[in-house]
């Protein structure tokens, strides 16, 4: 029998520069370009304010993890939670045919509990057939054997 090597550590990201992963490197690079644009377009005091705010946000996206997930996944989940409705309501539309079928279904009372007779009881031979089919994993089907004999 052939043995295959199972990949290990598939949850960890590849590191490209020391402890920095590819995702972190891209975020830091884009953030650095954004801070450079802020430096070129604003005067120094405005640049300091924008630069500090941008650096905090960029470092949060690059390095911060919440419950073991990267920060951007946390923000996406937070936004989805805030946008979705708080309660879920199931509105099933019942057709007239379904309603009539439910009204006219025969009711069986056993042990004081009313039950509708949706399916006939399964006979012992049918249970044996199903048991054989389950035990053999579907390889042996009783219906095929009966058809061959006929």
């Amino acid at each position: 029998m052939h043995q295959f090597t199972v990949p290990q550590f598939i949850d960890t990201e590849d590191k490209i520069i020391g402890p920095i992963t590819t995702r972190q490197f891209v975020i830091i690079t884009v953030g650095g370009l954004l801070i450079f644009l802020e430096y070129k377009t604003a005067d120094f005091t405005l640049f300091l304010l924008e630069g500090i705010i941008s650096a905090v946000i960029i470092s949060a996206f690059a390095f911060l993890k919440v419950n073991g997930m990267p920060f951007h996944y946390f923000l996406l989940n937070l936004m989805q939670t805030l946008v979705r409705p708080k309660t879920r309501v199931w509105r099933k539309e019942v057709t007239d045919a379904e309603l009539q079928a439910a009204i006219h279904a025969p009711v069986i009372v056993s042990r004081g509990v009313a039950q509708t007779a949706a399916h006939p009881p399964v006979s012992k031979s049918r249970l044996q057939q199903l048991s054989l089919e389950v035990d053999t994993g579907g390889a042996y089907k009783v219906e095929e054997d009966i058809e061959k004999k006929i």
Side-chain angles (χ1 to χ4, degrees):
M1 174 171 269
H2 298 286
Q3 289 190 357
F4 299 99
T5 56
V6 178
Q8 302 289 323
F9 307 113
I10 58 173
D11 293 341
T12 59
E13 297 180 44
D14 294 331
K15 307 219 181 320
I16 56 171
I17 301 173
I20 296 177
T21 64
T22 308
R23 180 186 59 84
Q24 292 170 335
F25 179 74
V26 169
I27 291 172
I28 291 171
T29 304
V30 170
L33 290 173
L34 178 70
I35 291 175
F36 178 74
L37 286 174
E38 291 171 355
Y39 174 73
K40 286 297 189 179
T41 58
D43 64 337
F44 190 70
T45 55
L46 182 61
F47 162 69
L48 283 180
L49 179 66
E50 290 175 345
I52 291 172
I53 293 172
S54 297
V56 168
I57 292 172
I58 291 164
S59 60
F61 273 96
F63 299 110
L64 185 65
K65 289 191 175 193
V66 179
N67 292 332
M69 294 186 311
F71 186 67
H72 62 277
Y73 286 138
F74 170 74
L75 277 182
L76 287 174
N77 289 336
L78 179 68
M79 284 187 250
Q80 287 178 353
T81 302
L82 293 176
V83 171
R84 288 183 183 158
K86 303 298 182 252
T87 57
R88 295 179 185 239
V89 179
W90 181 43
R91 293 187 181 113
K92 181 178 187 237
E93 300 295 329
V94 180
T95 62
D96 290 335
E98 291 174 339
L99 189 58
Q100 290 297 328
I103 290 172
H104 295 300
V107 177
I108 300 172
V109 177
S110 63
R111 297 184 193 158
V113 178
Q115 299 173 347
T116 58
H119 300 286
V122 180
S123 65
K124 184 176 180 182
S125 63
R126 179 68 181 146
L127 283 175
Q128 288 174 345
Q129 293 171 359
L130 290 174
S131 172
L132 179 64
E133 193 170 329
V134 169
D135 289 342
T136 59
Y140 181 76
K141 295 187 188 293
V142 178
E143 290 84 21
E144 292 176 358
D145 191 49
I146 292 172
E147 289 175 6
K148 288 178 184 176
K149 289 180 180 178
I150 295 178

